[in-house]
Amino acid sequence: MYIFYEVPTVYIRRIIPRPTCYTDIDAPASQMSPRSSPRAWQKVKRDPSSQLHVIIVGAGLGGLGAAIAILLAGHNVTVLESASEIGEIGAGIQVLPNSSRILISWGLEDKLAKHATMPRYANMIGWKGNHLSRMDLHAYGKALGTPFWDFHRANLHCCLLDRAVELGAKLHVKSRVQTIEYASDGLTSTAVLSDGRTMSADLIVGADGISSTLREVLLGKPDPPLPTGDLAYRLLIDARDMLDDPELRHFIQDPQVNYWIGPDAHAVNYVLRGGQLFNMVLLVPDDMPAASMTVDGNVEEMQALYKDWDPKIGKILRLCQSVQKWKLCIRPTLEQWSHESGTFTLLGDAVHATLPYLASGCGMALEDGAALGLCLAKLTDKSREQKLRALRVYEECRKERTERVVNRGNYQQYLYHVHDGEVQRERDMRLKKFGEIDEELFKNPEVITQPRPDSGDDPLPWRYYGVGGWLLNYDVEKDVESKWEQARGQDRVRPLL
C-alpha cells in the first residue's frame, strides 16, 4: 500500500511473474566472483540533532535512488513529484556492474532478480549484418562481482519505489516545484510549488530530469538542454511474435545485447521481462521540431530508414505497430552543483544528462544518489558547515566522473555512425583486435577488477580498454571515504562560490 500526501491518488502496477522456464544464472549476483560482494548498507540510527529533513524534487530513478541512500543514512525524506500519479513509464534500460553493485548494496538484489535479464554477450554488428566483435558480459560480471542487468524501466522503478517507501519516504504527487527560496539564517530552504504551497527542508535535492527547472533556478537564468543531432525510436515487441520466426527466435532464446552500427545511425536491442518483451532502440539523425522532446513516430518512415540494413532488422521492425520518437539531448556539467547556503543541490540528468551510448545515464544518477547519501551519513550535526562539507565531497566524487561519461557518449556517437570507408575499416580492425586482447585478459580475470584511470581506444566502450577500466569497477564507498578524509584534513570548509 502506498500513501501519497496532499493529493490522494492510486498507484497501479502490473505484476508480471517471471516465467519458470526462463533462467539466467543460478547463483545470486553478489556470489558470482572472488571480488568482495557488495555489503548491504544498514540504516543509520541518529538523534534529532543530526537528522536532516531532505526534500527530493522528482520521483524518477535518480530521485528514488537518492531517497533510498539518504534514508539509509538516517535522515527523513520527502519526495515531490509533479505528475498526478507514479506508474509505469518507458521501455528498456541497461544496468552495468557499477550500478548493480549499488542496487545490491541497497538491499534490492532479490527483488530485482525477479525482473532482470542477464544477457550473455554484447555484440557489435556491421550495418549489413557482419559480426564485428563481442564482449562476454557474464565473464565480466563474474570478475567484477556484480552483473549486467536488463530491465523494463517500470520494473526497476517499482522496486526502487517499494524500497524507498519501506524505508520511510513520504511521497507527494501533483507537486510541481517552481523555485527555491533560502532562509535568512542559511540553514533551510523552501520549495515553492506551482499551486502556491511551500515546503521547507534542511536540504533540497533537484532530481527533476533533463528538462530541469531547478537547474535554471540554481543558475538564475534559462538553460535548455543541448540537442545532439540524434533522435531515438523506442519500441517494444511481443516476444511471442519473434519466437514464431525461425530466423528471429534466437534473439529471445539466447538473450544478448546487439548493436548494429552504420552510416549516421545505429540500432540496439535486448530482451526484457524474462523473455516476454523485446526492446529495440533505433538511433538516427534528428528531424523533430526544435521545441519537441517526444512525438509520435511514423512506423513506415522508421522502417524506410533501415531498408538497406541487415534484413533481420527489417523483419523485426515489421512486427512494430506504433512507435515514439525522442529527441536526444545532453547537459554539460556545471561548475557548481550546489547553492552556497548548503541547502540545495542537484543530481542526475538535471546536471549531467548524457547520450545513451554508454547505457550510463541511469547509472550515473544512481551513483550520484549513493554518493550523496554516503556523504550525508557523515554528518554529526545540522550546521551549515557540515552540510557544505558533505556537498563539496559529493561534488568532488561526481563532477569529473560524470563529465567523462558525457564526453565519451559524444565520442561513441561518432564511432557508431561513421560511413563506410577508411575510418570505418580502422574502427572495425580495432574492434577485432581489442576483442582478442579481451580474451587474453580473462586468462587472469583479476586484472579486470583493477582500476584503470585512462580511457582506451576500444570502440566497444564497456570493455576494459575502452572505458570499462574506470567505469565498471567503480566503488562509490571507497571514493567517498577517500575524498572525505581529504576534506576532513582541511582546517576549514572552502566556500562553494
Side-chain angles (χ1 to χ4, degrees), residues 190-455:
T190 299
V192 180
L193 279 61
S194 59
D195 59 8
R197 285 179 291 148
T198 59
M199 300 181 69
S200 297
D202 301 298
L203 176 65
I204 295 176
V205 180
D208 53 341
I210 191 168
S211 299
S212 172
T213 297
L214 295 189
R215 179 183 174 112
E216 296 185 338
V217 168
L218 181 67
L219 290 174
K221 63 179 182 180
D223 188 44
L226 298 180
T228 63
D230 282 1
L231 66 80
Y233 287 96
R234 304 183 191 274
L235 50 148
L236 287 173
I237 296 169
D238 190 325
R240 291 173 296 185
D241 296 333
M242 296 178 64
L243 288 170
D244 291 337
D245 188 321
E247 196 173 15
L248 300 181
R249 65 170 60 118
H250 72 92
F251 287 112
I252 308 301
Q253 293 172 336
D254 184 13
Q256 302 183 28
V257 180
N258 300 294
Y259 283 74
W260 284 265
I261 53 179
D264 299 322
H266 71 285
V268 186
N269 59 37
Y270 47 90
V271 173
L272 301 176
R273 286 180 171 165
Q276 294 184 0
L277 293 173
F278 192 68
N279 185 74
M280 189 92 171
V281 186
L282 309 176
L283 298 309
V284 301
D286 182 6
D287 63 357
M288 293 170 58
S292 298
M293 293 295 284
T294 307
V295 299
D296 290 332
N298 181 285
V299 173
E300 290 76 20
E301 176 187 271
M302 174 190 70
Q303 292 168 339
L305 291 171
Y306 288 84
K307 64 182 177 62
D308 296 325
W309 287 52
D310 183 349
K312 294 187 183 69
I313 294 179
K315 293 190 80 171
I316 294 170
L317 296 186
R318 284 193 288 274
L319 300 174
C320 176
Q321 303 299 315
S322 63
V323 69
Q324 281 197 314
K325 297 163 70 171
W326 300 66
K327 185 184 294 289
L328 297 181
C329 297
I330 61 170
R331 286 282 201 183
T333 193
L334 299 175
E335 182 66 26
Q336 161 197 323
W337 293 17
S338 304
H339 189 263
E340 61 182 339
S341 65
T343 64
F344 174 42
T345 193
L346 298 173
L347 66 72
D349 282 354
V351 68
H352 53 66
T354 179
L355 278 166
Y357 300 166
L358 284 186
S360 288
C362 168
M364 291 303 102
L366 294 177
E367 286 184 7
D368 286 353
L372 182 57
L374 289 167
C375 289
L376 296 178
K378 301 285 190 181
L379 300 188
T380 58
D381 61 45
K382 298 161 65 173
S383 67
R384 178 175 180 266
E385 289 73 23
Q386 287 217 11
K387 286 189 288 182
L388 282 171
R389 177 180 294 173
L391 294 179
R392 178 161 58 85
V393 173
Y394 161 61
E395 290 189 27
E396 288 177 352
C397 288
R398 303 306 305 151
K399 283 172 64 175
E400 180 182 355
R401 179 169 170 81
T402 54
E403 188 170 10
R404 294 181 81 184
V405 167
V406 173
N407 290 339
R408 183 64 185 223
N410 296 341
Y411 181 54
Q412 292 302 128
Q413 179 185 33
Y414 163 74
L415 285 177
Y416 289 162
H417 296 173
V418 298
H419 286 237
D420 288 352
E422 183 179 352
V423 174
Q424 166 261 320
R425 288 189 292 272
E426 192 272 339
R427 178 203 64 194
D428 293 353
M429 179 274 293
R430 281 192 285 144
L431 279 168
K432 180 179 179 181
K433 178 179 178 62
F434 280 106
E436 295 168 354
I437 292 172
D438 225 45
E439 291 181 5
E440 287 296 313
L441 284 179
F442 278 101
K443 293 178 180 178
N444 180 17
E446 288 189 6
V447 172
I448 302 297
T449 71
Q450 303 305 310
R452 185 175 184 271
D454 299 323
S455 298

Side-chain angles (χ1 to χ4, degrees), residues 371 374-375 378 389-390 392-398 400 451 474-490 494:
L374 289 167
C375 289
K378 301 285 190 181
R389 177 180 294 173
R392 178 161 58 85
V393 173
Y394 161 61
E395 290 189 27
E396 288 177 352
C397 288
R398 303 306 305 151
E400 180 182 355
Y474 177 68
D475 189 322
V476 66
E477 295 180 63
K478 290 182 179 179
D479 196 19
V480 169
E481 287 297 325
S482 172
K483 291 184 171 62
W484 190 269
E485 287 303 312
Q486 295 173 21
R488 191 161 64 174
Q490 299 175 0
R494 296 182 310 208

